[in-house]
Amino acid sequence: MNSLDRILHQRRKELKTLKLFLLCSVLGSLAAHGLAMTVQVGNFWRSTPDSTQVDEMEVVVEEAPVKQPVPETTVPESEEPPTAV
């Protein structure tokens, strides 16, 4: 029975260590996400537009001319009369 007690003691110890690791991981993740949410990143990606300079873009749409299809001329093949064997 002595080995059974050692095994159970080892399992309890591993379970306690696992619970502590998971708790620390969750708390660390919450702290990291909380810090990340306080940083204002929204203005970092946007450039500040100058009110004096306005970029304008002109778009011109032109229709391509429609090409008329060229009729193909076919040369009839000469038919050879069947030969008797």
Side-chain angles (χ1 to χ4, degrees), residues 18-84:
L18 180 63
K19 284 183 180 180
L20 181 64
F21 173 74
L22 289 176
L23 178 66
C24 289
S25 297
V26 168
L27 291 177
S29 176
L30 287 174
H33 282 85
L35 268 170
M37 292 180 89
T38 60
V39 176
Q40 292 184 359
V41 182
N43 293 333
F44 179 73
W45 295 108
R46 282 188 231 154
S47 62
T48 55
D50 296 333
S51 60
T52 58
Q53 181 183 6
V54 178
D55 293 334
E56 293 184 11
M57 183 183 297
E58 183 178 338
V59 178
V60 177
V61 179
E62 295 180 0
E63 291 186 21
V66 179
K67 295 182 180 179
Q68 297 294 330
V70 178
E72 295 182 14
T73 58
T74 57
V75 178
E77 295 181 11
S78 62
E79 292 184 23
E80 296 180 7
T83 58

